[in-house]
Amino acid sequence: RVELCGRIVSCARLTSPYSHIACAWYSFKIQKRPAEGRGFYETLSSGSSGDLPFRLDDGTGSVLIQPAGAEIDVQPEVTSLGDGERAIEWVLPEGNMFFVLGVAQRRTAIGEELAVGVSNSDDVFIGSAPAMAR
């Protein structure tokens, strides 16, 4: 287990679909308020940027972070879409400081394939416990 803190660096250029924030990762839900205006919002759809890795740079170096199976705890961005609909996004903005608690692993040890923006020299990454990510 490792604990790291550093700035988020994208491996692939992403922009969150509703708040349009340059980021390394995002997840969203589209919700609609009931017609009578009371009660809970209903989730219509959801999605994310997937499991693309990103880097965490602490000023002395950087390491790959694999978000597969991770619990990402950030304040959501809420965007009104009109007609009682809203988008709720959880975003990891490029350049923001971030804390990671995970498991240091070797990609070659678990047969992990290379992702976009990842070089052959990136053998070590931080992710969820191997059993949790599968």
Side-chain angles (χ1 to χ4, degrees):
R1 290 208 171 271
V2 295
E3 295 181 20
L4 303 168
C5 187
R7 294 204 180 278
I8 296 169
V9 179
S10 296
C11 289
R13 292 192 181 272
L14 298 175
T15 302
S16 59
Y18 300 97
S19 58
H20 307 291
I21 297 171
C23 62
W25 177 91
Y26 66 82
S27 177
F28 69 88
K29 286 184 185 179
I30 304 299
Q31 296 183 322
K32 184 170 182 85
R33 182 178 285 287
E36 63 277 355
R38 290 189 289 171
F40 296 104
Y41 278 85
E42 173 188 357
T43 298
L44 303 176
S45 63
S46 61
S48 76
S49 58
D51 294 332
L52 289 174
F54 56 91
R55 294 183 175 287
L56 197 68
D57 188 329
D58 69 355
T60 64
S62 69
V63 67
L64 282 174
I65 306 297
Q66 176 53 260
E71 178 182 324
I72 298 180
D73 185 18
V74 294
Q75 285 294 114
E77 300 284 334
V78 180
T79 304
S80 176
L81 302 177
D83 199 28
E85 291 186 11
R86 68 182 182 182
I88 301 175
E89 293 176 301
W90 294 267
V91 179
L92 295 181
E94 177 86 25
N96 277 23
M97 292 297 289
F98 195 63
F99 171 79
V100 172
L101 170 64
V103 178
Q105 302 170 60
R106 288 198 177 277
R107 188 180 66 244
T108 55
I110 61 171
E112 192 77 14
E113 292 182 23
L114 292 175
V116 174
V118 178
S119 73
N120 284 325
S121 63
D122 291 318
D123 188 40
V124 175
F125 70 96
I126 309 302
S128 299
M132 295 172 65
R134 298 275 175 222

